[in-house]
């Protein structure tokens, strides 16, 4: 009776090993693409939140600026003694809203097209508010009513300028929101494709190894 030949140990050939390594690398690459897509999704979502905060801050400034000419006009037309106090209160409210905008502006991820313009528009608005403050104080102390009305007209013009500038800021923020929505949709698509591909390749690799 002859002894059977010894069994060779079961092994994986070099080609099969290379195939498994290739699938593993593809799985890793797809996972990285998916994770990058998720990261971009979170960044775009943060931009959406920040843009919404910017819009709210700008709208609050727009509302706060409105009463400034009215209090000066009341003083010049009727001599209302409460007008200077109302003007100062409205001015303080505008400055507080500008400070809130400045804080939101620093955190906001502006698009390249709007980063510089947003800063310049905010600085110009602050300068106009300072000029309105000076015009209001001049209107409350002037003795000539005609001169006071001229000051009021200049103040109203500055207010309209601020309103137009704030409208431009709102349009910029709206454009940033639309761009962020588009970027988020694309990032979500990349994340879905990458993670799905990674999962399928990982399952295939596990079955192959089994």
């Amino acid at each position: 009776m002859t002894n059977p030949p010894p069994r060779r140990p079961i092994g994986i050939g070099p080609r099969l090993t290379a195939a498994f390594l290739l699938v593993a690398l593809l799985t890793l690459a797809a996972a990285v693409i998916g994770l990058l897509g998720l990261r971009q999704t979170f960044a775009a979502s943060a931009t959406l939140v920040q843009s919404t905060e910017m819009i709210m801050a700008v709208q609050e400034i727009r509302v706060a600026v409105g009463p400034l000419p009215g209090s000066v006009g009341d003083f010049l037309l009727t001599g209302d003694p409460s007008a200077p106090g109302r003007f100062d209160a409205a001015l303080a409210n505008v400055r507080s809203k500008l400070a809130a905008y400045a804080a939101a502006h620093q955190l906001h991820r502006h698009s390249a097209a709007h980063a510089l313009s947003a800063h310049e528009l905010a600085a110009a608005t602050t300068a106009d508010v300072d000029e309105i403050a000076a015009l209001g104080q001049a209107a409350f102390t002037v003795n000539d009513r005609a001169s006071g009305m001229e000051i009021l007209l200049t103040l109203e013009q500055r207010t309209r300028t601020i309103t137009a500038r704030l409208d431009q800021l709102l349009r910029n923020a709206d454009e940033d929101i639309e761009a962020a929505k588009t970027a988020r949709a694309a990032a979500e698509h990349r994340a879905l494709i990458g993670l799905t591909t990674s999962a399928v390749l990982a399952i295939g690799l596990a079955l192959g190894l089994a």
Side-chain angles (χ1 to χ4, degrees), residues 1-5:
M1 183 176 180
T2 61
N3 293 327

PDB file of all heavy atoms in Angstrom, residues 1-5:
ATOM      1  N   MET A   1       0.854  -1.183   0.000  1.00  0.00           N
ATOM      2  CA  MET A   1       0.000   0.000   0.000  1.00  0.00           C
ATOM      3  C   MET A   1       0.891   1.235   0.000  1.00  0.00           C
ATOM      4  O   MET A   1       1.747   1.388   0.865  1.00  0.00           O
ATOM      5  CB  MET A   1      -0.901  -0.007   1.236  1.00  0.00           C
ATOM      6  CG  MET A   1      -1.861   1.156   1.272  1.00  0.00           C
ATOM      7  SD  MET A   1      -2.981   1.013   2.689  1.00  0.00           S
ATOM      8  CE  MET A   1      -3.910   2.491   2.422  1.00  0.00           C
ATOM      9  N   THR A   2       0.666   2.082  -0.986  1.00  0.00           N
ATOM     10  CA  THR A   2       1.508   3.280  -1.110  1.00  0.00           C
ATOM     11  C   THR A   2       0.878   4.430  -0.356  1.00  0.00           C
ATOM     12  O   THR A   2      -0.350   4.561  -0.299  1.00  0.00           O
ATOM     13  CB  THR A   2       1.663   3.671  -2.587  1.00  0.00           C
ATOM     14  OG1 THR A   2       0.388   3.953  -3.125  1.00  0.00           O
ATOM     15  CG2 THR A   2       2.340   2.550  -3.371  1.00  0.00           C
ATOM     16  N   ASN A   3       1.739   5.229   0.228  1.00  0.00           N
ATOM     17  CA  ASN A   3       1.255   6.418   0.942  1.00  0.00           C
ATOM     18  C   ASN A   3       0.838   7.499  -0.062  1.00  0.00           C
ATOM     19  O   ASN A   3       1.524   7.717  -1.071  1.00  0.00           O
ATOM     20  CB  ASN A   3       2.359   6.964   1.846  1.00  0.00           C
ATOM     21  CG  ASN A   3       2.691   6.009   2.973  1.00  0.00           C
ATOM     22  OD1 ASN A   3       1.792   5.291   3.462  1.00  0.00           O
ATOM     23  ND2 ASN A   3       3.949   5.973   3.375  1.00  0.00           N
ATOM     24  N   PRO A   4      -0.299   8.220   0.206  1.00  0.00           N
ATOM     25  CA  PRO A   4      -0.712   9.309  -0.691  1.00  0.00           C
ATOM     26  C   PRO A   4       0.284  10.453  -0.641  1.00  0.00           C
ATOM     27  O   PRO A   4       0.948  10.671   0.372  1.00  0.00           O
ATOM     28  CB  PRO A   4      -2.080   9.727  -0.138  1.00  0.00           C
ATOM     29  CG  PRO A   4      -2.040   9.331   1.300  1.00  0.00           C
ATOM     30  CD  PRO A   4      -1.198   8.085   1.363  1.00  0.00           C
ATOM     31  N   PRO A   5       0.404  11.177  -1.752  1.00  0.00           N
ATOM     32  CA  PRO A   5       1.343  12.320  -1.758  1.00  0.00           C
ATOM     33  C   PRO A   5       0.890  13.394  -0.774  1.00  0.00           C
ATOM     34  O   PRO A   5      -0.301  13.569  -0.537  1.00  0.00           O
ATOM     35  CB  PRO A   5       1.268  12.806  -3.209  1.00  0.00           C
ATOM     36  CG  PRO A   5      -0.064  12.345  -3.694  1.00  0.00           C
ATOM     37  CD  PRO A   5      -0.328  11.045  -3.010  1.00  0.00           C
TER      38      PRO A   5
END
